[in-house]
Amino acid sequence: MRGPSPSKDVRLPPLAAIQAFEAAARLGSFERASEELFVTASAIGKRIAALEAMLDVTLFIRSSRGATLSSAGREYLEQVRTALDLLSDASLHKRGEPKPEPLRVVSTPTFARQVLIPALPGFTSAHPEVELEIMLSIPYLDIMPPNADVWIRFGSGKYPGLHTHQLTADPVFAVCAPGYRDRHGPFERPADLARAHLLRCPMEPWRPWLAAAGLDWPEPARGVWLVDLGIMLAAARAGQGLALTRRALAAEWLDEGKLVRVLDIEIPGESQYYLCTETSRPPGNAVQAFSLWLDGVCKQVSQWPCGPRGGQE
């Protein structure tokens, strides 16, 4: 048997180090990787450091907020995943079993709670081969977990390095709870809103809607400041004031009569929801299936039922 060429360095990184790197990259932290591999986070860090020294590259950029993959780390991750997949497929106990497709989705909290989760059984039943993981972002602070396959973002749709597909085109309108309308209304003219509490959220400012209503009022400067669209919507449902919202987010409560529209004034939403994927990575089967399914869900929840719109006066 002929041995390897003496000019070729055949040293292979330890499998434990490769597994530590892949788990930390996939899960987004050394701590979560340690839980999966049943070792300490310190052991994960040492294995990755040894791997970096052997490869003579920096795989993770470390900071006080944690560790994120470097550009070299992302490239190496693709190579490692391919190698691990080949090793996994070669294992006898894996032969004949369907290969699961992992899919990591990062969503804003309100979209996940109001749109994604209620409809999710339709996707999981149609695609049992997909291992779905859903993480939450903090859009107001622009904080998102790393290493996702799909991001659901609320904004302008202009995100460098990401391919975007618009999921919603909802207009923005005002709502409140029926009890609040009965106590503080009627709200028959825009000027009647002078006796209402306007719930404030930086993600949905009042000034454009007030201008469309013919009110030369400034942005409300008093009242509770809520930095999440879903929390603001819940506050309106609890009878704490008027909120600006969209059909996709408030569909269930509007259809059930727990929220009602105030006046018949709506404006185009400056921000909308977008499904985003990395432009540098072609979408796999799981990403394509999820994207197609979610597009249909958003079209459905954005439609009004027959009859008056959500109990509108």
Side-chain angles (χ1 to χ4, degrees):
M1 177 182 296
R2 188 171 63 182
S5 171
S7 63
K8 183 177 181 180
D9 188 350
V10 295
R11 292 181 302 161
L12 297 176
L15 181 58
I18 294 177
Q19 289 177 314
F21 164 73
E22 189 278 334
R26 170 169 43 84
L27 298 173
S29 74
F30 290 8
E31 289 75 14
R32 296 186 66 188
S34 70
E35 294 173 0
E36 179 175 288
L37 298 178
F38 301 101
V39 296
T40 65
S42 175
I44 294 292
K46 290 179 181 178
R47 292 177 184 181
I48 292 175
L51 182 60
E52 289 176 319
M54 184 175 186
L55 299 174
D56 194 24
V57 295
T58 299
L59 299 174
F60 283 93
I61 299 173
R62 296 159 176 84
S63 68
S64 58
R65 297 176 59 183
T68 57
L69 277 174
S70 66
S71 58
R74 287 192 293 270
E75 181 178 351
Y76 189 61
L77 178 61
E78 294 301 321
Q79 299 171 358
V80 163
R81 282 178 170 167
T82 300
L84 290 177
D85 286 344
L86 291 172
L87 288 173
S88 178
D89 290 342
S91 301
L92 289 176
H93 70 282
K94 288 290 185 180
R95 292 181 181 175
E97 295 182 6
K99 181 182 175 182
E101 296 183 65
L103 179 63
R104 196 179 201 204
V105 177
V106 174
S107 173
T108 63
T110 301
F111 188 92
R113 184 169 53 247
Q114 304 294 113
V115 180
L116 180 58
I117 298 303
L120 198 58
F123 178 80
T124 55
S125 62
H127 300 278
E129 75 284 359
V130 176
E131 289 187 351
L132 191 61
E133 180 181 3
I134 297 177
M135 306 288 291
L136 296 181
S137 62
I138 306 176
Y140 180 61
L141 301 177
D142 199 24
I143 297 176
M144 290 182 294
N147 309 322
D149 299 300
V150 173
W151 290 267
I152 300 168
R153 302 189 63 168
F154 181 74
S156 65
K158 298 177 181 178
Y159 308 113
L162 296 179
H163 171 76
T164 60
H165 171 71
Q166 187 169 340
L167 292 171
T168 63
D170 287 347
V172 175
F173 50 87
V175 297
C176 70
Y180 187 88
R181 176 198 58 192
D182 296 342
R183 290 192 305 272
H184 299 274
F187 302 120
E188 298 175 346
R189 299 172 302 166
D192 294 338
L193 269 61
R195 55 177 176 267
H197 296 92
L198 304 183
L199 298 172
R200 303 188 300 152
C201 178
M203 314 297 291
E204 204 75 271
W206 274 96
R207 188 69 192 93
W209 188 92
L210 294 172
L215 298 172
D216 188 19
W217 296 357
E219 189 71 22
R222 300 186 62 184
V224 179
W225 181 256
L226 305 163
V227 297
D228 179 83
L229 291 172
I231 294 176
M232 180 177 65
L233 202 59
R237 182 182 179 277
Q240 297 178 21
L242 272 64
L244 291 177
T245 191
R246 298 122 187 282
R247 169 68 190 174
L249 299 183
E252 180 180 0
W253 290 345
L254 286 166
D255 294 346
E256 293 176 350
K258 295 176 181 177
L259 287 175
V260 294
R261 283 187 56 148
V262 175
L263 304 175
D264 192 19
I265 298 169
E266 58 185 33
I267 60 172
E270 293 183 2
S271 296
Q272 296 292 342
Y273 286 98
Y274 293 85
L275 186 142
C276 307
T277 55
E278 291 183 357
T279 55
S280 60
R281 182 168 46 156
N285 292 334
V287 170
Q288 294 182 49
F290 182 81
S291 302
L292 183 62
W293 168 81
L294 187 59
D295 193 47
V297 169
C298 289
K299 285 183 172 61
Q300 182 177 5
V301 298
S302 294
Q303 295 176 356
W304 288 91
C306 298
R309 295 199 283 185
Q312 180 181 326
E313 293 181 312

